[in-house]
Amino acid sequence: MNIEHLNLELPSWALPPSLSLVEEYEREFDLNLPADYRGFLAAHGGALVNATCPFMEPTPLGDLTPVDQFYGFMQPGRSDDVRQATRMIDGAPDVVAVASDLMGGMLWMKCTGDDTGCIYFHDPQQRWTWPDEQFRRTFQLAPSIERYLELRAAGSLPKKRRGYENVYLVARSFSDLIEKLVQVEDVD
């Protein structure tokens, strides 16, 4: 897993990541994290990043999702703590918190079932429920969102499993996510 292209930065408020903290997290939630994510969390958990990742399916969010921080080990009560963020997820520990964007969106990792290790973006605004008019009132629509609305109107969106209506596939594994992330260049 090559992470050098991401320019990760551990914020001053993060606890230094370690394997012992990861093992404690796994025990607390009765988890066996995939090895690639486990290693990353032990070495880089909590890191800030300025990147995007393409979705693997049509979404009402566009083609890309921003990723601004990986969850890690923080002082108690911080929302960017992986333990706190995972507790907030309906469905944990089958699903755990991996990363977030500045708008409240989260990347989740599935930890059970036939999609174990897959990374999904959870849309906190539940845009899959919005009528077309709400999209048009709220945004200047990107072509990919127009395409999503066309597919939805035609009944041609890929079928989603029950419980997956509000999540969108980003990667098949944590390593896949890391390889797909593209660093966003700062604009001055």
Side-chain angles (χ1 to χ4, degrees):
M1 178 172 39
N2 180 6
I3 62 167
E4 287 75 32
H5 69 288
L6 296 177
N7 300 321
L8 299 175
E9 178 185 331
L10 196 63
S12 60
W13 59 86
L15 299 175
S18 69
L19 184 56
S20 64
L21 285 170
V22 174
E23 290 170 344
E24 185 180 302
Y25 172 61
E26 288 179 309
R27 277 191 303 277
E28 178 180 344
F29 288 92
D30 194 24
L31 292 169
N32 289 311
L33 296 172
D36 55 354
Y37 180 56
R38 190 175 203 263
F40 180 90
L41 191 57
H44 306 285
L48 301 173
V49 65
N50 186 15
T52 61
C53 187
F55 287 105
M56 294 179 67
E57 62 181 301
T59 79
L61 304 144
D63 290 332
L64 302 170
T65 182
V67 179
D68 297 303
Q69 183 175 12
F70 290 98
Y71 289 105
F73 301 100
M74 308 294 171
Q75 297 298 325
R78 287 194 57 96
S79 63
D80 53 352
D81 181 83
V82 69
R83 298 160 294 198
Q84 178 69 20
T86 296
R87 281 185 206 102
M88 292 175 25
I89 298 172
D90 184 26
D94 293 333
V95 179
V96 298
V98 171
S100 65
D101 68 24
L102 295 175
M103 301 296 290
M106 293 174 74
L107 292 181
W108 293 351
M109 176 183 288
K110 189 76 184 327
C111 292
T112 60
D114 62 355
D115 57 345
T116 294
C118 286
I119 309 291
Y120 295 91
F121 176 86
H122 171 258
D123 176 18
Q125 297 177 357
Q126 299 185 358
R127 285 172 256 205
W128 70 281
T129 64
W130 289 11
D132 290 7
E133 308 80 54
Q134 186 171 353
F135 281 95
R136 290 187 171 77
R137 277 193 320 266
T138 308
F139 304 112
Q140 181 176 359
L141 296 183
S144 59
I145 297 175
E146 286 284 3
R147 179 73 180 134
Y148 172 86
L149 295 175
E150 290 168 8
L151 290 170
R152 183 171 75 174
S156 299
L157 286 172
K159 284 278 190 211
K160 295 203 97 24
R161 296 187 217 190
R162 187 172 189 271
Y164 285 66
E165 299 86 359
N166 201 39
V167 297
Y168 303 95
L169 185 62
V170 175
R172 300 253 178 236
S173 68
F174 188 77
S175 294
D176 184 34
L177 171 68
I178 294 297
E179 295 307 315
K180 288 179 173 185
L181 284 171
V182 175
Q183 184 74 30
V184 175
E185 299 300 321
D186 292 330
V187 179
D188 293 327

